[in-house]
Amino acid sequence: MAKFDRWTVAESVVGAGRGNTLLYGPPGTGKSYAAQSGGVNVFNVTITPDTPAAELRGHYHPRGGEFVWQDGPVVRAMREGSRLVLNEVDHAGGDVLSFLLAALDNPETCRVCLPSGETVRPAPGFHCVGTMNGQPEDLLPALRDRFAAAIEIEEPHPAAIDALPEDLRNAARGTVSAVGGDRITLRSWLAFASLRSTLGAETAAQGLFGERWQAVLDSLTAATQE
């Protein structure tokens, strides 16, 4: 039986650009990295509960003595047939949810009506990649239905691990996939690799890992001696 390589599947599905894809799982594994890969034009948005729909759709902007319409990232991606990346899509508030339900509808029926009176339809190639740390069931059912594929990402992205110094890679692989108090995110490892070159390993570990700093350094020492 062939091995199920989640990252290969995720990048293949995202790269195909044939529909909307949801990448979910614990933070710091590289979901956003994968969502933006592939050498295509990407409009990247991180959603918070306070994000207004106008920030995604667009708004009137003063220019000279008049107000002109300026597209937001979602509408721009639709017009250009580009990839839209929605980070933390599960944080969307009601205003944004209503807008996304329209913008992420099937290409054949998708219509977004702008305050300017214009109706925008998605150009060929437009697709969305959503990322979230929770489970697909956390989404409003209608929004979950907008994502044809949902792929769980539990392990760190191989390219992100390879970007670390060699002596940190094994420790990072183990702790990024760990649960509870043993977990250290990939972002923390990348920050440690950067900080220790200027502050030293001990100070960098204390600043990033808190009370666990000594245990982390001891595990790194043990790994290099094996």
Side-chain angles (χ1 to χ4, degrees):
M1 181 180 296
K3 180 182 177 181
F4 177 39
D5 186 330
R6 293 178 187 273
W7 278 116
T8 299
V9 171
E11 292 182 330
S12 296
V13 172
V14 169
R18 294 294 187 271
N20 300 328
T21 304
L22 181 67
L23 303 180
Y24 68 98
T29 53
K31 298 185 295 296
S32 297
Y33 176 91
Q36 298 179 65
S37 63
V40 299
N41 191 32
V42 174
F43 289 88
N44 186 58
V45 179
T46 296
I47 296 176
T48 75
D50 297 324
T51 300
E55 184 176 320
L56 309 182
R57 180 182 56 234
H59 53 85
Y60 282 100
H61 180 75
R63 181 182 299 169
E66 61 179 357
F67 285 86
V68 296
W69 177 259
Q70 179 173 300
D71 287 339
V74 175
V75 172
R76 288 188 62 192
M78 293 176 66
R79 290 190 194 276
E80 297 179 19
S82 298
R83 179 183 300 166
L84 171 67
V85 176
L86 297 175
N87 297 301
E88 314 294 351
V89 66
D90 54 325
H91 291 176
D95 186 36
V96 169
L97 279 172
S98 297
F99 174 65
L100 291 181
L101 290 180
L104 303 184
D105 205 353
N106 293 330
E108 297 79 15
T109 57
C110 179
R111 303 284 191 282
V112 170
C113 297
L114 304 181
S116 63
E118 181 185 4
T119 297
V120 179
R121 299 181 59 183
F126 171 71
H127 62 286
C128 174
V129 181
T131 73
M132 58 183 290
N133 299 329
Q135 298 293 312
E137 293 74 22
D138 298 336
L139 296 177
L140 183 76
L143 181 59
R144 167 63 185 91
D145 188 59
R146 279 5 185 219
F147 294 96
I151 303 171
E152 185 174 17
I153 302 298
E154 298 174 309
E155 299 179 353
H157 194 285
I161 290 293
D162 289 342
L164 290 168
E166 188 173 357
D167 64 313
L168 302 183
R169 293 173 189 170
N170 286 336
R173 287 190 186 95
T175 59
V176 169
S177 302
V179 296
D182 293 330
R183 189 166 188 275
I184 298 175
T185 69
L186 187 55
R187 290 186 181 90
S188 292
W189 282 114
L190 290 167
F192 175 71
S194 176
L195 282 176
R196 73 172 179 176
S197 63
T198 55
L199 302 179
E202 184 171 306
T203 300
Q206 290 173 345
L208 290 166
F209 306 132
E211 295 180 356
R212 295 182 294 167
W213 73 271
Q214 188 64 64
V216 172
L217 292 186
D218 289 345
S219 66
L220 289 175
T221 300
T224 58
Q225 293 175 349
E226 292 178 355

